[in-house]
């Protein structure tokens, strides 16, 4: 595993690099500690003590890095897992594309390297239940952060954790992605539906922003990412499900 740090939002200037030569189990906690030490942080008061806290949830970094190690394709030569730390995001890349369609990563389960997954689970480093991405989504929504990016290619899989920012700074794409994954989370984890109310809560918006959220839902529905939970439902109490349930 390689970890590379950059000073800005691109690869123009690297500020450090580390190659982890320890085994995955022996080196995993050290990897997490190294990443958390070098990501941007914010100051919080915890039990009355002023403390510097990473802006990214530790559980999100933990689960994504574990997935990159466990699900890499060892038949892709000349490449290995990599973590790249930028000022506004963290990119975690592993060799080998996803065995599951990206939109179904929450509700489907498949492991490329079962023995590694079993060994990591036995050491308490992962759960091997396919619930890692669920935890990442839950924590991102809890902290009202932009949703992650997942960028598959022919021989690799890149997972991008985006730094926190206020709702008004979200791009249109980030709003639509957040809407879709919130809908998936409601359906697959809570066994419930997405609504204007739940999406407003996810964004941390007050009731008076009802129309702004309605516009996001309408566009997400128009692009085929979500679907009405019931036919001919009214707009006032409308509920929604992921498109693949239809």
């Amino acid at each position: 595993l390689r970890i590379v740090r950059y000073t800005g939002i691109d690869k123009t200037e690297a500020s450090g690099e580390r190659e982890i030569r320890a085994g995955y189990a022996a080196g995993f906690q050290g990897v997490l500690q190294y990443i958390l030490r070098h990501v941007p942080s914010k100051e919080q008061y915890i039990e009355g003590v002023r403390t510097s806290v990473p802006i990214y949830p530790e559980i999100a970094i933990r689960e994504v890095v574990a997935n990159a190690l466990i699900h890499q394709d060892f038949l892709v030569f000349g490449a290995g897992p990599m973590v790249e730390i930028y000022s506004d995001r963290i990119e975690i890349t592993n060799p080998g594309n996803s065995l599951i369609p990206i939109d179904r990563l929450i509700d489907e389960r498949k492991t490329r390297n079962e023995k590694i997954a079993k060994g990591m689970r036995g050491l308490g480093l992962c759960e091997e239940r396919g619930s890692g991405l669920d935890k990442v989504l839950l924590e991102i929504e809890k902290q009202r952060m932009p949703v992650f990016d997942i960028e598959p290619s022919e021989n690799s899989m890149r997972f991008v954790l985006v730094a926190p920012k206020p709702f008004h700074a979200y791009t249109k794409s980030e709003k639509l992605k957040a809407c879709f994954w919130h809908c998936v989370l409601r359906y697959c984890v809570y066994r419930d539906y997405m609504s204007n109310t739940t999406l407003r809560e996810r964004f941390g918006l007050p009731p008076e922003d009802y129309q702004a959220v309605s516009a996001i839902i309408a566009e997400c529905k128009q692009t085929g990412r979500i679907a009405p939970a019931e036919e001919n439902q009214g707009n006032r109490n409308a509920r929604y499900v992921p498109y693949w349930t239809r």
Side-chain angles (χ1 to χ4, degrees):
L1 175 69
R2 288 178 61 206
I3 305 174
V4 184
R5 310 191 321 271
Y6 300 98
T7 56
I9 62 173
D10 56 33
K11 300 180 188 291
T12 303
E13 185 176 350
S15 61
E17 179 174 344
R18 183 173 180 180
E19 184 172 329
I20 309 299
R21 295 185 175 274
Y24 289 167
F28 191 68
Q29 292 301 329
V31 167
L32 287 181
Q33 291 168 6
Y34 183 85
I35 295 173
L36 291 170
R37 280 200 309 269
H38 291 95
V39 298
S41 60
K42 58 185 177 182
E43 291 189 341
Q44 290 182 348
Y45 281 93
I46 300 176
E47 297 181 352
V49 179
R50 192 174 182 178
T51 306
S52 182
V53 179
I55 64 173
Y56 301 97
E58 180 177 347
I59 191 171
I61 296 175
R62 178 187 182 89
E63 294 297 335
V64 177
V65 172
N67 280 343
L69 297 176
I70 292 169
H71 297 297
Q72 65 179 297
D73 187 347
F74 289 98
L75 297 180
V76 177
F77 296 101
M82 176 178 286
V83 177
E84 296 174 285
I85 303 172
Y86 298 86
S87 61
D88 64 343
R89 69 193 185 280
I90 303 176
E91 297 185 0
I92 299 98
T93 308
N94 63 270
N97 204 341
S98 175
L99 299 176
I100 300 171
I102 300 303
D103 290 350
R104 306 301 299 273
L105 285 173
I106 290 290
D107 68 306
E108 292 191 6
R109 308 285 183 260
K110 194 168 187 180
T111 301
R112 177 177 275 120
N113 303 303
E114 293 184 6
K115 289 184 178 180
I116 293 180
K118 185 176 181 180
M120 295 283 274
R121 179 179 63 83
L123 294 167
L125 300 176
C126 77
E127 294 186 344
E128 200 188 3
R129 293 202 303 256
S131 62
L133 192 57
D134 306 27
K135 289 182 176 181
V136 176
L137 265 176
L138 286 166
E139 192 62 28
I140 282 175
E141 291 211 344
K142 179 181 177 182
Q143 299 197 22
R144 290 169 178 161
M145 296 171 59
V147 78
F148 45 69
D149 277 324
I150 301 176
E151 302 171 354
S153 64
E154 183 178 355
N155 293 313
S156 68
M157 176 88 159
R158 178 175 292 119
F159 198 102
V160 184
L161 291 173
V162 183
K165 58 183 172 180
F167 175 76
H168 65 78
Y170 278 41
T171 64
K172 180 180 177 180
S173 174
E174 287 173 334
K175 293 175 182 177
L176 294 178
K177 281 186 295 185
C179 179
F180 169 71
W181 284 109
H182 175 69
C183 192
V184 171
L185 197 62
R186 295 288 299 176
Y187 186 81
C188 294
V189 176
Y190 295 110
R191 298 298 174 187
D192 202 349
Y193 303 102
M194 183 187 78
S195 66
N196 187 291
T197 300
T198 68
L199 189 56
R200 271 190 288 113
E201 291 174 351
R202 185 262 183 262
F203 287 132
L205 298 176
E208 51 265 31
D209 285 324
Y210 180 93
Q211 291 297 334
V213 173
S214 290
I216 296 171
I217 292 175
E219 184 157 0
C220 205
K221 183 172 65 172
Q222 185 178 5
T223 56
R225 302 293 284 159
I226 61 174
E230 300 174 0
E231 293 184 8
N232 304 318
Q233 65 182 7
N235 290 330
R236 184 173 181 80
N237 297 309
R239 302 180 300 172
Y240 301 92
V241 293
Y243 72 89
W244 39 257
T245 66
R246 290 289 178 255

